[in-house]
Amino acid sequence: MNDLKDVYRAYKINHKIGDQNEMLNLLTDESPEDIGKVITAYLAENKKLTGSNITDKRLRVYVDSYLLMTNQNYIAIKSKGINSKEFTDAYEKFKAMNRRYMTYLTTRFAIDRYIKMTEEEYWKTIDKHKYIKSAQYNTCQKLIKTDFYKSCKILDKIIGQTTEFQENSIYRLQRADLFVKYDSTTIDAHEKAIAMYKDIVDKKKYCLYLYEAWLKWRMVYQYWNGLSKSSDIPNNMYDNVREDLAVVILKYLNTYPKDEMAINQFLFISSHDIVRRYGEYPYGNQITVEYHETFDEPK
């Protein structure tokens, strides 16, 4: 449990600093005075961040060094400018330290240290069909392409009749997916999908599909919130919900500490990156890639 908490706390700080860096990259054309104001705010935020509650001593040193060198970079930008030798020198030292830090974090807390199941066992366990009990579900699936609205009507009925949380979540995920995939021309359909994904998360109950619900909620919300690099990207909101789910899974693991699927889901939620403005996709923020990889029909 201490290891899992350490992983979460380290990545939480990484995500916070990552979001700050993304915003600073966005503001490079702003005046030095405006950039200075943002940096002042970030330095104040970062005073509250610390690795002191991390139990792994080496990781704690790395986290505190990461924070210290991040702040030194910010101070160099504010006092000397982003094109200064002072910033270049500070940033080179930061990059070298950061490589060592991330190597330690990803190897010391590698997923195979905690999980022994094979990939085949994982996919068999998470297969939704194992948990579907409704006799009407196959009929609903067959009707999607030929009578979409009848299919949705049947699925809505199944959702209303199913009380077991995990099974109900499977049907809700499918219903929300249908809004996105086949009724995606209206904002109303996406709003319904967002609400349905979020409803699974807001129940604060454990099931195998919390990570999927969070990812899809974030994808669809951001899709309609903006896909450009300069769009509003509320990573703080996304990460607050991430934390809610991490707490739910940890509480479950207190009772079932050897549940490898829960450990796996916790590590996925903890380490999954923020919504990046800058990345491999050059024409907008990175949610574009996640969204289309998730929801586009295979060609």
Side-chain angles (χ1 to χ4, degrees):
M1 292 297 288
N2 283 338
D3 276 9
L4 295 182
K5 291 175 183 178
D6 282 354
V7 168
Y8 181 81
R9 288 163 179 159
Y11 275 110
K12 180 179 179 179
I13 290 173
N14 292 3
H15 294 151
K16 172 68 72 174
I17 300 301
D19 193 40
Q20 291 177 2
N21 289 334
E22 293 274 300
M23 277 302 299
L24 286 174
N25 283 332
L26 182 66
L27 298 173
T28 52
D29 292 333
E30 298 295 321
S31 70
E33 291 78 13
D34 288 338
I35 294 174
K37 289 177 182 177
V38 172
I39 287 175
T40 297
Y42 287 164
L43 290 170
E45 283 181 12
N46 294 351
K47 279 186 177 180
K48 302 173 187 176
L49 303 177
T50 174
S52 61
N53 56 359
I54 291 174
T55 58
D56 183 276
K57 293 180 180 178
R58 191 172 174 189
L59 180 61
R60 184 164 67 237
V61 170
Y62 272 126
V63 168
D64 286 337
S65 296
Y66 175 66
L67 288 167
L68 176 63
M69 297 181 82
T70 294
N71 290 341
Q72 288 174 345
N73 286 337
Y74 291 173
I75 291 167
I77 294 172
K78 184 179 178 181
S79 61
K80 301 296 183 179
I82 199 165
N83 296 315
S84 66
K85 183 178 184 302
E86 286 82 356
F87 171 68
T88 301
D89 291 344
Y91 188 61
E92 287 303 314
K93 291 177 183 177
F94 168 80
K95 285 197 297 183
M97 185 282 302
N98 193 53
R99 283 192 294 269
R100 295 192 301 272
Y101 164 40
M102 291 309 298
T103 298
Y104 180 75
L105 178 59
T106 55
T107 54
R108 163 65 177 82
F109 301 95
I111 198 167
D112 58 10
R113 290 175 64 97
Y114 311 100
I115 296 172
K116 303 305 178 186
M117 68 167 54
T118 65
E119 186 174 350
E120 182 181 4
E121 289 170 336
Y122 170 83
W123 288 113
K124 281 183 179 178
T125 305
I126 206 166
D127 183 358
K128 293 184 176 80
H129 292 93
K130 288 185 61 175
Y131 312 104
I132 289 171
K133 298 175 184 175
S134 170
Q136 301 175 76
Y137 186 75
N138 285 338
T139 302
C140 160
Q141 291 295 97
K142 290 175 183 178
L143 287 171
I144 288 174
K145 295 292 180 67
T146 59
D147 194 338
F148 173 72
Y149 290 103
K150 185 174 182 181
S151 172
C152 291
K153 190 173 181 180
I154 294 171
L155 188 52
D156 287 338
K157 184 178 179 182
I158 294 171
I159 290 169
Q161 294 173 339
T162 304
T163 57
E164 198 275 321
F165 178 63
Q166 180 160 281
E167 185 184 1
N168 185 272
S169 296
I170 291 168
Y171 301 140
R172 284 176 175 270
L173 284 167
Q174 171 69 2
R175 184 66 179 95
D177 289 354
L178 290 178
F179 278 125
V180 177
K181 290 181 179 180
Y182 301 107
D183 195 15
S184 60
T185 57
T186 65
I187 294 176
D188 181 59
H190 277 77
E191 287 179 344
K192 289 177 180 176
I194 290 166
M196 196 160 282
Y197 294 133
K198 188 63 163 45
D199 186 62
I200 296 169
V201 170
D202 286 346
K203 289 288 189 294
K204 293 184 171 57
K205 295 173 66 176
Y206 178 79
C207 79
L208 286 172
Y209 306 104
L210 296 180
Y211 177 60
E212 179 182 346
W214 174 72
L215 274 184
K216 288 180 174 178
W217 163 71
R218 192 179 77 161
M219 284 177 210
V220 181
Y221 187 98
Q222 188 60 49
Y223 185 88
W224 285 95
N225 205 50
L227 294 175
S228 74
K229 295 181 187 298
S230 59
S231 296
D232 172 47
I233 302 178
N235 275 313
N236 281 342
M237 178 179 75
Y238 302 146
D239 286 349
N240 286 339
V241 178
R242 182 206 304 262
E243 184 156 311
D244 289 342
L245 292 185
V247 170
V248 169
I249 300 170
L250 276 180
K251 286 181 178 178
Y252 174 85
L253 283 167
N254 274 323
T255 306
Y256 305 100
K258 295 184 179 180
D259 189 323
E260 292 191 353
M261 292 298 291
I263 295 169
N264 186 80
Q265 186 169 201
F266 181 86
L267 292 173
F268 278 176
I269 284 177
S270 298
S271 61
H272 193 84
D273 204 4
I274 59 170
V275 178
R276 294 279 177 179
R277 298 175 186 277
Y278 302 93
E280 293 182 5
Y281 181 66
Y283 306 111
N285 65 60
Q286 299 308 295
I287 211 68
T288 305
V289 178
E290 284 192 33
Y291 183 93
H292 289 292
E293 285 179 347
T294 302
F295 294 114
D296 286 359
E297 290 293 318
K299 294 182 180 178

